[in-house]
Amino acid sequence: MAQNRTAKLLQRPLSASAAVEVALLSNRGLQAAYNRLGVEDALRARESLPPNPTIAFSRVAGSLSSEIEAAVAADILALATLPARTEIADERFEAAKLEAAEATMRTGAEARRAWIRAVGAREKIRALEQAAKAAESAAKFADELGQTGAMNKLDQSRNQVFYAEVTTQLAGARQQALAERERLIRALGLWGSSLSFTLPDALPAPPAQPRELPAIEHEAVDRRLDLQVARKRLSVLAKSLGLTQSTRFVDLFELAARGKITRENVNGERVNFNDPGVGAVIEIPIFDLGETRLREAEQRWLESLNLLAEKAVNVRSQAREAYRNYRAAHEIARHQTREILPLYETITRESLRRYNAMLVDVFALIDSARRRMVATAAAIDAKRDFWLADVELQTAVIGGGRDPADKTASAAPASEAGGDQP
Amino acid sequence: MISRRAFVKSAVAMAASAVSGRAGAAAVPEAPRMTSVVTQPPLAPSSGPDYRPVVTLNGWSLPFRMNNGWKEFHLVAEPVTRELAPGMKANLWGYNGTSPGPTIETVQGDKVRIYVTNKLPEHTAVHWHGVLLPAGMDGVGGVTQPHIPPGKTFVYEFETRESGSFMYHPHSDEMVQMAMGMMGMFVVHPRDPDFMRVDRDFVFMMSAYRIDPGASLPHVSEMTDFNLWTWNSRVFPGIDPMPVRRGDRVRLRMANLTMTNHPIHMHGHHFEVTGTDGGWVKESARWPESTSDVPVGVIRAIEFQADNPGDWPIHCHKSHHTMNAMGHGVRNFLGVKPKPALAKAVAKLAPGYMPMGSTGMAEMAEMAMPGPANTLPMMAGQGQFGPAEMGGMFSIIKIRENMSANDYRDPGGYDHPAGTVAHEVEDASAGKTSSEPASGAIEGAPPHGHEHHH
């Protein structure tokens, strides 16, 4: 069934979401995680698991919609949140679930990134081919003028070497595109006859309006997979410590907003947040620690609670950072396509008019056309970076880990990378 | 060393002075304006001493009024829009609506009063180039008078002493104001109408501009690389022809306020230089010419007997000065064989591209491909036998029989008598050359002697 589905998806030019679906079905590393869970693949996982009762995040404007990998991961985690399962889960089964959910998110994000890079590299080749064509035309004209006696060896050589250099750049871009495609193939987990799949010629244009996410910190704290996992472990710990009488609940966002968590202020007054559109909250039970007879249990509980709060603080920071990067990338990409490229079109048109009036010769005309193609390639890079930032926004809010190739994201402690082993 | 204060006081007392107050304003004559770019008919005097008026090429003469024995004119210095030729307008500075300003015509011995109103954004002053007058009326801002501030009206008063061909132009931020087109002719007719009498008397000023293709405002700091060489701020095909009746004695007064010399060549006749901006040339001192070099800041008045009917070009002999805006860096594509694949490749990069120049540049005059906005083709114009392929400083003197004395209408193309036009040879064998012309490129490096021992 999974193979049929994969084959069907690979028949048409692969879209980003189709790439994720293929990865969920075919990626071997992910299969291993599913096998440990006792299901064969993501589809089975979705079918065999009940719908998740708690991750019905309110559908409000300015919220990130769940992508397929997030839905699958949530379903897998839901096994632990079924009302029927009040007992402490078998530890191995629990670990397998977390691993599978995390691997699902990570695989989905990586498939998305690889798809964006592969398509962007493909699109860029076409622009650079045009630039090379321009340099080639200039070189040919230089050759002609050399034969008529209108151009000396020096200027001929300058034109030839320029063409040769542009050709080298083009070869590098082609090599890059092949490498990106291979990386995508690895992310998808494909081999053999499946490798003949095709990709679209170009990345979609960035949306006219970027996402407005005023409550992104709330959303990240409520939805991040690693925080959900940490909270689960906290409740498992509570049970194992014999903490059963919860006096009330505090939401995790509020917990992260507090100062040092000690026995006293955990029981402090609850703060109300008036952020509109924030529907779901992750609630942390607050126990009457008076019931524990063991000092050690109290300390362990507070330790875990502090670690969870620390994680939440870091998640908030990562969400802010990812959103800022996303907005900046959107602005840059739109600026390139809406301001810079139209100006280059005008420059080419005006250059042609000057050529027509014999104010400049064909070399100047070719040069302005070539510059436009180089600018087009730069705009394609900016568009690619926007979509990559879009993926990072998803992973910062929902999980799946950071882009290992991303140099711009500030380093966070490894233990805080979203989607790390909880 | 005279104190500055005393200097200013005396300057106001003895030099061109500001007109102020109600009485002053009421006394100022009106300032006629002109927006047409075609040659206006000669303006015969309705009062004052008689003279044969001049014809300003693509321009006009400034009307005056007599007031208690004074000949009064009113110049207004102001920004103007000037069509250099159909298809191009330039934002210039000028006088009374035009650049150059109107020709001022006076008579030897006239008491002249010229009001100058400044409607420019900066101060100005008017220098009467070549005219002999009191120092304080010479119009040199700061030196002989205070500069005329924006919005103010000054008055110049002097008596003309010598007849001749002169000009007026700013002597106040002079480089900018002349580069913007501020200038005009100042003609002093002889008291005796029979002295130096001619039948037709054409005047024009030469000015040069650098206006980037697609733009409309001159570069005022340009010194050498001008791209529009004008006669009265017009370029061919925007320059009117000069119609002449056969047998007329014709004078052309040519003033040069560009930054280089112009060897003006006239076809079909020989002429003599009869005057400069220093007065008339004695007959014994003249010599025949068919080209007269007009240096910078100089007027050459030439005269000839129009006895050869036909259409006779007159133009600057510097070939770039009979072109409009052109690219000096354009490579020579002569002899480049058409390569359809290459042309297609470039057209893909720059939609609309067509290969040009492999046989020369004449094809451009015929192709009429769209150029930059507000930019004239390098060469244009149409004659009765085909494209004239000219621009810049080029006009045609049209000499015809049976024209009336004051008719300045364009008579159209010359009707050549049968058998007097160069034509194709019917019998092709008559034109055969004994050997084929040499072809092929010259080898770049001749062989060194030591490689070839003979």
Side-chain angles (χ1 to χ4, degrees):
Chain A
M1 183 183 105
Q3 274 172 331
N4 289 349
R5 177 79 184 140
T6 302
K8 205 169 161 216
L9 288 168
L10 291 175
Q11 271 167 12
R12 271 170 303 172
L14 201 65
S15 70
S17 54
V20 172
E21 212 177 321
V22 170
L24 296 189
L25 294 170
S26 311
N27 182 293
R28 298 308 171 93
L30 189 57
Q31 297 324 302
Y34 287 148
N35 295 151
R36 280 194 288 278
L37 192 62
V39 290
E40 275 171 44
D41 56 48
L43 286 183
R44 293 284 163 83
R46 294 218 68 178
E47 281 167 10
S48 58
L49 298 170
N52 186 329
T54 58
I55 310 296
F57 198 84
S58 60
R59 294 267 173 259
V60 290
S63 162
L64 280 171
S65 57
S66 281
E67 302 287 2
I68 178 173
E69 62 267 40
V72 172
D75 287 347
I76 292 168
L77 283 184
L79 276 176
T81 59
L82 283 172
R85 295 190 70 88
T86 48
E87 302 302 311
I88 301 169
D90 164 47
E91 262 185 54
R92 277 176 56 199
F93 181 65
E94 189 65 33
K97 272 190 312 179
L98 302 180
E99 218 173 281
E102 189 275 327
T104 301
M105 292 298 294
R106 203 179 50 225
T107 305
E110 185 49 31
R112 259 176 226 289
R113 290 183 196 114
W115 182 88
I116 290 163
R117 286 205 177 89
V119 175
R122 239 172 92 75
E123 191 180 355
K124 198 167 145 181
I125 284 178
R126 294 216 319 283
L128 291 177
E129 273 171 350
Q130 289 289 300
K133 197 80 199 158
E136 182 191 27
S137 302
K140 281 182 174 167
F141 273 118
D143 188 48
E144 294 280 330
L145 293 187
Q147 286 175 35
T148 62
M151 196 184 271
N152 58 28
K153 265 274 178 283
L154 177 63
D155 286 351
Q156 284 178 67
S157 304
R158 281 183 175 142
N159 277 286
Q160 309 292 0
V161 80
F162 185 67
Y163 173 43
E165 282 165 355
V166 171
T167 307
T168 311
Q169 285 167 14
L170 177 61
R174 287 197 170 118
Q175 192 185 4
Q176 182 70 21
L178 284 174
E180 298 294 4
R181 184 185 169 94
E182 206 54 56
R183 184 172 163 181
L184 173 63
I185 287 166
R186 284 198 295 279
L188 301 183
L190 297 177
W191 61 282
S193 63
S194 309
L195 299 187
S196 59
F197 69 89
T198 59
L199 287 168
D201 288 336
L203 288 169
Q209 294 302 325
R211 303 172 197 267
E212 294 286 347
L213 299 172
I216 188 161
E217 291 180 44
H218 270 102
E219 197 172 344
V221 168
D222 284 342
R223 297 179 75 183
R224 261 284 278 270
L225 189 68
D226 47 344
L227 282 183
Q228 291 180 44
V229 168
R231 185 190 50 121
K232 273 201 196 69
R233 298 174 99 214
L234 196 66
S235 62
V236 171
L237 175 70
K239 281 180 185 171
S240 68
L241 292 175
L243 301 171
T244 51
Q245 297 301 308
S246 57
T247 52
R248 54 189 188 80
F249 291 88
V250 62
D251 91 46
L252 181 54
F253 189 79
E254 179 200 338
L255 191 75
R258 288 177 173 237
K260 201 167 60 170
I261 299 167
T262 62
R263 181 175 168 174
E264 284 74 34
N265 69 8
V266 166
N267 296 318
E269 277 309 296
R270 179 167 181 165
V271 185
N272 281 321
F273 291 94
N274 296 321
D275 277 308
V278 181
V281 289
I282 291 184
E283 302 220 303
I284 308 295
I286 300 300
F287 297 102
D288 177 5
L289 292 174
E291 69 186 298
T292 60
R293 285 194 301 276
L294 285 171
R295 179 100 179 117
E296 190 193 344
E298 184 185 332
Q299 288 303 318
R300 278 186 66 192
W301 166 251
L302 285 175
E303 177 194 13
S304 297
L305 204 58
N306 269 311
L307 286 173
L308 177 63
E310 182 197 28
K311 215 183 250 293
V313 167
N314 284 333
V315 162
R316 290 178 64 177
S317 160
Q318 285 163 7
R320 278 196 309 272
E321 183 185 22
Y323 186 63
R324 272 200 303 268
N325 287 345
Y326 164 86
R327 289 299 295 257
H330 181 269
E331 209 145 302
I332 291 167
R334 292 277 292 180
H335 183 72
Q336 296 259 28
T337 50
R338 295 180 62 85
E339 304 289 331
I340 295 178
L341 292 187
L343 285 170
Y344 269 104
E345 268 172 50
T346 306
I347 289 168
T348 301
R349 195 172 56 243
E350 288 299 321
S351 298
L352 179 71
R353 287 181 175 168
R354 285 187 169 223
Y355 168 81
N356 286 344
M358 286 200 180
L359 297 161
V360 297
D361 60 27
V362 74
F363 291 96
L365 179 65
I366 288 171
D367 189 55
S368 79
R370 185 190 56 79
R371 285 169 196 269
R372 183 168 68 117
M373 289 306 155
V374 172
T376 304
I380 293 166
D381 280 349
K383 186 165 67 161
R384 176 204 62 199
D385 291 345
F386 164 75
W387 288 116
L388 289 174
D390 188 51
V391 172
E392 296 321 297
L393 186 61
Q394 292 270 354
T395 59
V397 172
I398 301 168
R402 287 202 160 175
D403 182 357
D406 187 12
K407 302 285 185 291
T408 58
S410 50
S415 65
E416 298 309 330
D420 258 31
Q421 282 290 346
Chain B
M1 185 85 188
I2 190 167
S3 80
R4 190 181 169 277
R5 201 167 147 201
F7 171 75
V8 170
K9 259 172 90 171
S10 66
V12 170
M14 296 160 38
S17 52
V19 175
S20 60
R22 212 177 212 182
V28 178
E30 65 170 303
R33 289 184 91 256
M34 172 67 65
T35 49
S36 169
V37 291
V38 302
T39 306
Q40 299 299 305
L43 183 67
S46 53
S47 55
D50 193 28
Y51 56 85
R52 286 190 64 76
V54 299
V55 171
T56 307
L57 192 59
N58 292 94
W60 57 306
S61 283
L62 186 61
F64 59 85
R65 76 174 183 197
M66 295 304 294
N67 183 3
N68 277 329
W70 287 81
K71 195 172 269 186
E72 292 185 334
F73 297 89
H74 189 176
L75 280 177
V76 177
E78 61 184 354
V80 303
T81 300
R82 177 74 166 176
E83 184 199 66
L84 300 190
M88 180 178 186
K89 288 194 164 89
N91 296 326
L92 303 178
W93 285 0
Y95 299 93
N96 300 54
T98 57
S99 163
T103 300
I104 295 176
E105 296 187 66
T106 64
V107 179
Q108 187 181 11
D110 271 349
K111 286 192 285 188
V112 180
R113 183 179 290 139
I114 304 170
Y115 294 93
V116 178
T117 298
N118 182 6
K119 289 191 178 173
L120 298 172
E122 69 167 355
H123 65 215
T124 188
V126 185
H127 165 59
W128 312 98
H129 176 119
V131 180
L132 303 177
L133 37 59
M137 293 294 162
D138 197 36
V140 185
V143 177
T144 66
Q145 66 167 86
H147 295 270
I148 309 172
K152 298 293 183 193
T153 299
F154 273 45
V155 64
Y156 294 88
E157 291 175 345
F158 52 88
E159 199 170 322
T160 53
R161 284 195 256 165
E162 314 238 332
S163 65
S165 317
F166 311 108
M167 42 182 155
Y168 64 91
H169 63 75
H171 226 298
S172 171
D173 195 16
E174 178 185 48
M175 179 191 86
V176 168
Q177 295 188 8
M178 296 212 305
M180 287 296 288
M182 293 186 78
M183 55 194 70
M185 290 293 274
F186 188 96
V187 173
V188 182
H189 292 284
R191 201 73 181 166
D192 172 8
D194 289 332
F195 177 71
M196 296 300 292
R197 185 186 181 90
V198 292
D199 301 297
R200 296 188 185 229
D201 198 340
F202 294 97
V203 306
F204 62 85
M205 305 213 55
M206 298 186 243
S207 56
Y209 304 95
R210 181 186 150 197
I211 300 176
D212 285 342
S216 54
L217 192 69
H219 280 264
V220 291
S221 299
E222 183 56 55
M223 188 171 78
T224 52
D225 194 17
F226 297 92
N227 60 7
L228 290 154
W229 304 95
T230 81
W231 286 355
N232 277 357
S233 299
R234 294 283 283 180
V235 292
F236 188 80
I239 300 176
D240 286 338
M242 289 176 259
V244 168
R245 183 175 54 166
R246 184 181 182 179
D248 275 351
R249 182 157 181 88
V250 181
R251 181 186 296 131
L252 264 64
R253 313 190 200 213
M254 310 179 291
N256 179 7
L257 284 182
T258 73
M259 292 212 262
T260 187
N261 61 307
H262 299 288
I264 304 299
H265 173 60
M266 182 186 159
H267 297 212
H269 298 74
H270 298 140
F271 57 79
E272 287 178 339
V273 175
T274 58
T276 72
D277 42 334
W280 302 110
V281 180
K282 292 187 185 73
E283 226 168 314
S284 59
R286 302 174 193 168
W287 65 82
E289 303 255 41
S290 70
T291 302
S292 178
D293 193 28
V294 187
V296 180
V298 159
I299 295 176
R300 289 281 176 265
I302 63 168
E303 288 177 31
F304 63 95
Q305 210 60 39
D307 51 14
N308 197 358
D311 287 347
W312 302 111
I314 177 166
H315 58 88
C316 177
H317 215 292
K318 291 183 175 178
S319 60
H320 281 224
H321 294 188
T322 53
M323 295 283 125
N324 293 325
M326 60 187 292
H328 293 148
V330 173
R331 289 203 181 260
N332 186 347
F333 279 72
L334 279 175
V336 172
K337 290 167 197 68
K339 292 235 173 12
L342 183 53
K344 230 171 109 175
V346 179
K348 201 172 170 223
L349 294 161
Y353 160 82
M354 284 178 69
M356 285 191 293
S358 61
T359 61
M361 292 189 174
E363 59 185 332
M364 182 205 145
E366 294 166 87
M367 279 168 91
M369 307 275 292
N374 196 45
T375 301
L376 298 165
M378 180 173 80
M379 52 197 192
Q382 197 68 20
Q384 60 175 311
F385 298 107
E389 300 172 351
M390 283 280 137
M393 296 173 161
F394 180 92
S395 180
I396 297 175
I397 296 176
K398 297 189 166 188
I399 300 172
R400 299 288 187 273
E401 314 272 1
N402 313 322
M403 283 178 69
S404 61
N406 278 320
D407 190 359
Y408 286 89
R409 286 170 305 171
D410 183 353
Y414 179 58
D415 188 7
H416 297 266
T420 63
V421 177
H423 59 281
E424 187 183 351
V425 176
E426 298 301 325
D427 181 6
S429 64
K432 260 233 169 83
T433 49
S434 53
S435 65
E436 286 299 305
S439 65
I442 299 158
E443 286 299 315
H448 287 291
H450 62 257
E451 290 171 22
H452 296 264
H453 297 289
H454 296 293

